[in-house]
Amino acid sequence: MNQASVSVAGAADLSPWALFLQSDIIVKGVMVGLLLASIWSWAIIIDRARRLKQINKEAAKFEDHFWASDSIDNLYDKSQKSKHPSAQVFNAGMNEWRRSLGKGRFDREGVRARLTSIMSVAIGREIDELSDRLNILATVGSVAPFVGLFGTVWGIMRAFTSIAATQNTTLAVVAPGIAEALFATAIGLFAAIPAVIGYNRLLHGIGRLEARLQHFAEEFHGLLSRQLDQMEEK
């Protein structure tokens, strides 16, 4: 009966919360920092995943309206307040188009070059805005395991110091210190793995969105280029 009670107590002492409480201030700081990094990473992952999903939905809807529209001028007037990337690329191209035609005489190749440049800049601006904070995920994914390892090394040093002080090498004395040290590494991996997976998935999603915007810009550029050819023929 007493032996069972000791076993239960020992198991309770090795619970995650007990390991945290038993650790010293340095290891506690490492654990808290890693948990905060994990929370921050999940917040970024959820926010960017939702935004990408919404942007792709709005892009598909806008492209349907674009190809179904009888007049790009009417679509431009309606899309002025739209903030999603496809509309921003379209608006940038239309702004340059109207400025070029408003001069009266214009150089066709110059207009084409400016349209390409303006829409490329608009795409880059939108992708940069979406990519913001992904560097945090990359940093957490690469640094967190080493921070956890630092906590582990510090905890093991503390455990060996305690062993040397007590001159007792029984498992009951060694296990708590080693367990709390390894717990820091576990938390480091807990923070790093979702951050790496989230970073790769979001980077893939943003890359696909960038390709989609580039394809739309090229199709739009081709449409305007054909209109330039028709103007020259007249």
Side-chain angles (χ1 to χ4, degrees):
M1 186 72 176
N2 289 337
Q3 186 175 1
S5 300
V6 170
S7 299
V8 172
D13 288 340
L14 296 179
S15 66
W17 180 245
L19 292 175
F20 174 77
L21 293 178
Q22 292 167 10
S23 60
D24 72 350
I25 188 64
I26 300 296
V27 179
K28 278 191 175 84
V30 168
M31 292 179 181
V32 171
L34 289 171
L35 287 174
L36 291 176
S38 179
I39 293 171
W40 195 4
S41 297
W42 275 108
I44 294 171
I45 291 169
I46 293 171
D47 175 67
R48 287 296 182 266
R50 286 179 176 175
R51 289 192 63 186
L52 273 174
K53 183 178 180 180
Q54 183 64 26
I55 285 171
N56 280 300
K57 182 179 178 180
E58 291 174 343
K61 185 177 180 180
F62 180 81
E63 289 169 13
D64 290 340
H65 286 315
F66 175 80
W67 294 114
S69 178
D70 295 331
S71 171
I72 58 175
D73 290 309
N74 292 336
L75 181 61
Y76 174 69
D77 294 334
K78 294 177 181 177
S79 66
Q80 288 296 298
K81 296 182 179 180
S82 298
K83 299 299 182 182
H84 60 87
S86 295
Q88 292 297 315
V89 173
F90 171 75
N91 291 337
M94 283 299 295
N95 287 336
E96 180 58 35
W97 173 257
R98 288 189 171 183
R99 281 195 297 266
S100 297
L101 296 187
K103 297 177 181 179
R105 299 181 62 184
F106 54 85
D107 174 40
R108 286 189 301 168
E109 294 307 316
V111 172
R112 289 190 176 100
R114 287 195 298 273
L115 286 172
T116 299
S117 177
I118 288 295
M119 288 192 286
S120 295
V121 169
I123 291 172
R125 186 184 301 116
E126 297 298 326
I127 295 302
D128 286 343
E129 195 277 331
L130 281 172
S131 301
D132 185 34
R133 297 185 182 180
L134 288 192
N135 62 319
I136 295 174
L137 296 181
T139 301
V140 171
S142 60
V143 173
F146 294 101
V147 175
L149 183 60
F150 167 75
T152 296
V153 172
W154 185 273
I156 289 176
M157 289 171 57
R158 180 171 171 265
F160 281 129
T161 301
S162 177
I163 292 171
T166 59
Q167 297 183 351
N168 189 340
T169 59
T170 61
L171 186 61
V173 173
V174 174
I178 301 299
E180 89 181 33
L182 294 176
F183 188 47
T185 295
I187 296 179
L189 296 175
F190 176 79
I193 292 173
V196 171
I197 295 173
Y199 174 80
N200 289 331
R201 291 299 303 167
L202 289 173
L203 199 63
H204 174 70
I206 290 174
R208 291 186 61 184
L209 176 63
E210 183 177 12
R212 180 175 195 161
L213 293 175
Q214 288 175 343
H215 293 156
F216 173 74
E218 289 171 1
E219 291 172 338
F220 183 40
H221 185 278
L223 177 64
L224 296 178
S225 183
R226 285 192 294 272
Q227 289 194 21
L228 282 173
D229 292 337
Q230 293 172 3
M231 290 177 183
E232 184 69 17
E233 291 174 0
K234 294 179 181 179

